[in-house]
Each structure stands twice: as structure tokens, then as C-alpha cells.
Amino acid sequence: MVCSIVMHSSKFLRDGCPNCEAYLDLAGHPDAVQECTSQVFEGVITLNKPKASWVAKWQRLDTYVPGIYAVKVVGKLPEETAAQLEDNGVRYIPRDGSSQDEDA
């Protein structure tokens, strides 16, 4: 739910998130995968060159790895996980459309 990459839950469990693993520690932790990912999303964006894509910049995906990303993700991170992200200098913006960012 942090970066909105679309992957099968077994891949999150096996490999973690290619963008957020340093903060979420999903690999090998089924509870973390359950709490920090969602199977419910709307629309997809396929990014081959995120740094060169205006769509990636608009969706705040331009610093992430190439892949398939959801436009909207239903669900929010647990408060404890969101606080941990903030403590690590990562600004969590929910990808469910509920947060209207001031610099969007």
C-alpha cells in the first residue's frame, strides 16, 4: 500500500517489495504481507522507464522500479507501520484517494 506495486502475495512473501522492503520487511513475514498489502485496487499503470514517465511523476512512482502499479489501492497501513515509515524519513501518502496532498 506504500508504493502500489502489483504482485502476487507469494512474491511479496518470498522476495519482499522491490521498493519498500527496507522499511516494511515483508519477505518471510506473512503477517506483514497481510497488513501492508491489498488485493483490492483500481486501474493499473505499466512502467518501463519510471524516471522518464510523466505518468510516473504524476502518481509519485518515478523513483520506483519498473513494473505494474495500481492507480488506487483500497486499504491503509496500520498506524504503527505508518509511524515507523515516518521515523525512517518516508512520507506515507495513502494510495486510496483519501489524502489530498498539498503539492499534488
Side-chain angles (χ1 to χ4, degrees):
M1 287 183 265
V2 176
C3 71
S4 75
I5 195 162
V6 176
M7 296 188 334
H8 194 275
S9 59
S10 63
K11 188 155 175 59
F12 278 116
L13 187 57
R14 184 181 67 236
D15 302 330
C17 177
N19 298 306
C20 310
E21 189 59 18
Y23 310 109
L24 296 181
D25 194 27
L26 301 178
H29 298 101
D31 290 341
V33 171
Q34 181 69 29
E35 291 177 349
C36 298
T37 65
S38 175
Q39 297 178 12
V40 184
F41 58 89
E42 295 178 22
V44 293
I45 300 167
T46 302
L47 295 176
N48 188 33
K49 297 179 182 175
K51 292 188 185 324
S53 168
W54 69 267
V55 173
K57 184 174 182 172
W58 173 56
Q59 288 289 317
R60 294 184 187 91
L61 303 171
D62 52 323
T63 60
Y64 296 150
V65 300
I68 300 172
Y69 291 84
V71 174
K72 274 188 172 181
V73 180
V74 175
K76 290 186 181 178
L77 287 178
E79 287 185 31
E80 178 181 302
T81 304
Q84 182 181 1
L85 287 172
E86 299 269 336
D87 290 345
N88 283 296
V90 177
R91 185 168 171 221
Y92 171 58
I93 299 170
R95 298 213 176 246
D96 64 357
S98 67
S99 175
Q100 295 299 322
D101 190 31
E102 62 275 359
D103 63 5

